[in-house]
Amino acid sequence: MGEKSTLICDTCQEEMKEFEVQFTYLNKFFRHKVLRCPVCGQVYLPEELVEGRMSEVEKSLEDK
Ligand SMILES: [Zn+2]
């Protein structure tokens, strides 16, 4: 935890910067920090992060 990874945008060869995104899923509101290219705006979303979050939500719904 707390480690910083640096990613370079394939298109621009620019270092991607941390950016907070907000999204909703199943009527729930989330915030998450992702890496985004400051030049073209491409966002890097690790698949495992998305899937992990989604399964967390589904699990909490099942518990009710
Ligand atoms: Zn870019």
Side-chain angles (χ1 to χ4, degrees):
M1 287 299 174
E3 66 180 21
K4 270 217 157 187
S5 55
T6 301
L7 278 179
I8 305 296
C9 177
D10 285 340
T11 311
C12 317
Q13 301 301 309
E14 280 286 330
E15 192 179 309
M16 297 177 96
K17 304 285 185 189
E18 209 171 60
F19 173 76
E20 191 174 76
V21 290
Q22 302 177 343
F23 65 97
T24 54
Y25 179 72
L26 295 175
N27 297 321
K28 286 179 183 262
F29 183 76
F30 298 101
R31 281 186 196 179
H32 213 286
K33 282 185 179 162
V34 297
L35 292 171
R36 188 179 76 154
C37 173
V39 179
C40 69
Q42 181 184 299
V43 173
Y44 175 73
L45 263 185
E47 236 174 81
E48 58 190 63
L49 182 154
V50 176
E51 286 174 4
R53 177 66 76 183
M54 294 306 135
S55 59
E56 252 177 54
V57 174
E58 283 163 13
K59 192 180 166 198
S60 71
L61 286 176
E62 281 169 12
D63 285 346
K64 282 179 187 167

